[in-house]
Amino acid sequence: MATLLARNAEILVTMDGQRRELKGAGVYVEDGFIKQVGRNEELPLTADTVLDLSGQIVFPGFVNAHHNLNQTLTRNLAARFPVQTTYARNPPSDKPMRNPCVLPIVTALCLACASSFCFADAIAPPKQPATPQQTALDDIKQLNTSMFGIYDKGLAIHEKNFNHPLIMALFSGKGGRFILYRPGQSPLEAPSVPPVYEIMKSTGHCAMGTYALVSPYLDDAKTNQGWVTDMKDYRGHVQTAKDNVDNLDIKPEEKALVADVLGKVLAFMDTCLKNGTFTSAEVQAYARDAEPDCEKLVAIASAAQVGHWFEVLTEWKKLLGDEWGQTYALSNSIYVTRQNNILFSILVQFIGPEAINNRLILLETTDFQAKPEDMWGSFMRIVSDRAIGEYFFNNDRLMDYELLGFGGRDAIESEVAKVGKKAILPPLVPFNSTEWPWKTDPSKGTGPKSFDDLHKAGLL
């Protein structure tokens, strides 16, 4: 019995009654018949042939069961012309065909096209048999492919067996999302940050985002008017928001700040639209005028965000009691939020600096708003790898490091030595380092480090 396992699809479209779209899924086939469709952990571990569909989309094949041969040249036209339109343009006629040679010619062309579409495999050059060397290489590579299937199934089991409380602190447009997972209980999601956070953040984004609207046109704003329509549309949103500021449930001084910032945005836009252009100097003047208010917006939003999550974690610490010392915590970051990561810094205040990189982990993601299931998957890989490190290397933290990196350092030093130079490499640190997961050494750079430094240097 020949078997095939296609797994790791980015998305698998089932087209079942629930119209499910499965992530990290695949198909298991026996003797040419599909036997199983589902997520990786639900499928067999291996097969005679295993295909890695990472980054691919899988969906059922569609077959046009009725297509006349003489319609080959007109395929896909139906998408452009409804049946009624087609008949209106080409109504049936009893008149004899003016040129009786047309039909044979069209049919012949269709036959040629159909042959090229339907019988391409028959005219393609025969596939050359694999050499013994290629077969051996494929056999070795298959070990890695099959291993990932086993690995994924193991991760699902590790997740079910994980018996510690876990706090997940996810970035979101609302100031974060905190979820508490406890063994044997439903997840507990904390209330959102008060709306003042979103109000201040959205207002600041409006002021700074206006630069993004005009920046592509700085070189030729007068001749390239592509910005005009976008600015008019966005101006309408800004005006509507400003008109409704008094209805916001925030402090009077906060309302005044929001109205002031939006007023500056509107004034700048009106000048640009009136003049039909703008200069770099005008854009910079607008930015410098709005900057002090942007600092105030940041301060208010940050205070609301931090104060809220302090209250949540204080309550959760009481709720967990003695379990707090065994609680794990995760936060996510992309590059631009790694330095001074807010949610991670808040977690450190409650879980302690000795937990950094131990029970408190900062995960790098490709999106601001990572999904909880993706965070679980990344975390379980760390848990699993630490167990592997303990068994193979007698150190459960070694696998937190790039394993090939150790050989890589030696290889880099060897290559650089060949040209008479010394390799530039970071210092080795203990596997169980509790160092902050971002830049912390002030001696490795020069210049300002905060808003205060920018002001003291006369840059703001």
Side-chain angles (χ1 to χ4, degrees):
M1 177 179 66
T3 58
L4 180 145
L5 176 64
R7 59 184 303 113
N8 300 327
E10 183 72 18
I11 297 176
L12 186 144
V13 183
T14 64
M15 296 200 68
D16 59 11
Q18 292 75 44
R19 294 293 189 264
R20 294 179 302 153
E21 295 182 3
L22 307 180
K23 188 171 182 180
V27 180
Y28 177 68
V29 180
E30 292 181 355
D31 288 335
F33 291 90
I34 296 176
K35 292 294 185 180
Q36 195 173 348
V37 174
R39 293 184 173 85
N40 289 334
E41 59 269 21
E42 300 170 350
L43 300 173
L45 293 178
T46 189
D48 298 333
T49 302
V50 178
L51 303 179
D52 182 8
L53 303 180
S54 298
Q56 307 298 314
I57 297 176
V58 178
F59 55 87
F62 299 101
V63 177
N64 184 352
H66 184 124
H67 197 89
N68 296 320
L69 187 61
N70 65 340
Q71 292 176 322
T72 302
L73 289 178
T74 60
R75 286 187 299 183
N76 298 324
L77 286 181
R80 295 164 53 193
F81 302 117
V83 173
Q84 294 85 348
T85 304
T86 304
Y87 273 94
R89 294 183 178 210
N90 303 285
S93 174
D94 295 329
K95 295 181 180 180
M97 185 180 291
R98 290 190 177 184
N99 189 345
C101 297
V102 171
L103 182 58
I105 292 173
V106 170
T107 302
L109 286 171
C110 291
L111 281 169
C113 291
S115 298
S116 66
F117 286 116
C118 302
F119 309 117
D121 290 341
I123 62 175
K127 186 177 180 180
Q128 297 297 320
T131 64
Q133 293 83 358
Q134 183 61 49
T135 300
L137 175 60
D138 291 343
D139 290 342
I140 289 292
K141 290 164 63 177
Q142 186 62 49
L143 297 177
N144 199 48
T145 302
S146 298
M147 180 274 294
F148 277 112
I150 298 171
Y151 196 56
D152 289 341
K153 193 166 187 176
L155 292 180
I157 297 173
H158 278 302
E159 183 173 338
K160 291 179 180 178
N161 294 338
F162 188 74
N163 60 357
H164 297 279
L166 182 138
I167 296 171
M168 199 175 289
L170 304 171
F171 263 81
S172 76
K174 297 182 177 182
R177 181 184 177 193
F178 275 55
I179 308 172
L180 172 61
Y181 296 88
R182 294 165 291 174
Q185 300 186 51
S186 298
L188 175 62
E189 183 152 1
S192 297
V193 175
V196 65
Y197 172 87
E198 286 187 83
I199 294 170
M200 298 299 142
K201 184 175 181 179
S202 184
T203 303
H205 279 177
C206 172
M208 298 176 69
T210 300
Y211 169 79
L213 193 158
V214 300
S215 61
Y217 306 94
L218 282 172
D219 292 337
D220 57 348
K222 192 171 186 64
T223 56
N224 185 350
Q225 296 280 290
W227 56 274
V228 173
T229 299
D230 291 339
M231 182 173 285
K232 287 180 178 179
D233 289 344
Y234 194 58
R235 190 202 178 285
H237 293 297
V238 179
Q239 184 67 62
T240 300
K242 185 175 184 298
D243 292 342
N244 286 313
V245 166
D246 284 341
N247 294 322
L248 293 173
D249 187 17
I250 54 178
K251 299 175 182 177
E253 61 270 25
E254 294 168 346
K255 292 180 183 180
L257 175 61
V258 171
D260 182 51
V261 173
L262 297 183
K264 290 177 180 178
V265 173
L266 289 170
F268 171 69
M269 289 182 170
D270 288 343
T271 299
C272 294
L273 294 170
K274 178 182 178 181
N275 296 336
T277 188
F278 46 82
T279 65
S280 178
E282 290 170 337
V283 174
Q284 189 172 53
Y286 154 74
R288 288 289 183 265
D289 185 40
E291 189 280 329
D293 287 339
C294 287
E295 287 191 44
K296 296 175 184 177
L297 293 169
V298 168
I300 296 172
S302 299
Q305 180 186 30
V306 172
H308 175 76
W309 294 129
F310 263 61
E311 290 180 5
V312 167
L313 290 175
T314 299
E315 289 300 315
W316 284 359
K317 188 173 182 178
K318 293 177 182 178
L319 177 67
L320 292 173
D322 293 339
E323 291 184 287
W324 187 258
Q326 289 78 46
T327 298
Y328 283 72
L330 310 175
S331 185
N332 70 298
S333 177
I334 63 172
Y335 179 79
V336 296
T337 62
R338 186 178 184 88
Q339 192 70 17
N340 295 333
N341 188 286
I342 303 169
L343 302 185
F344 187 88
S345 298
I346 293 172
L347 289 168
V348 173
Q349 312 312 310
F350 287 83
I351 298 182
E354 70 282 353
I356 294 177
N357 307 321
N358 178 4
R359 291 184 292 114
L360 176 54
I361 298 171
L362 182 66
L363 295 175
E364 294 180 350
T365 54
T366 58
D367 194 346
F368 273 114
Q369 301 186 39
K371 298 177 181 178
E373 56 268 28
D374 293 336
M375 295 283 284
W376 266 112
S378 297
F379 177 56
M380 283 300 108
R381 287 186 182 277
I382 294 172
V383 172
S384 176
D385 282 349
R386 286 181 174 180
I388 292 173
E390 179 65 34
Y391 272 86
F392 275 81
F393 308 108
N394 201 29
N395 189 296
D396 66 346
R397 298 306 158 82
L398 180 142
M399 293 294 286
D400 281 10
Y401 293 61
E402 169 56 67
L403 189 60
L404 291 175
F406 298 108
R409 290 177 68 99
D410 295 338
I412 291 171
E413 290 175 341
S414 177
E415 289 297 322
V416 173
K418 292 177 182 178
V419 294
K421 295 183 178 181
K422 186 177 180 180
I424 303 170
L425 293 167
L428 291 170
V429 298
F431 296 135
N432 64 349
S433 170
T434 57
E435 185 179 10
W436 287 81
W438 58 69
K439 306 169 209 170
T440 59
D441 187 349
S443 69
K444 298 300 182 182
T446 59
K449 301 182 286 294
S450 65
F451 277 134
D452 287 343
D453 286 352
L454 288 169
H455 285 291
K456 290 175 182 177
L459 299 172
L460 289 178

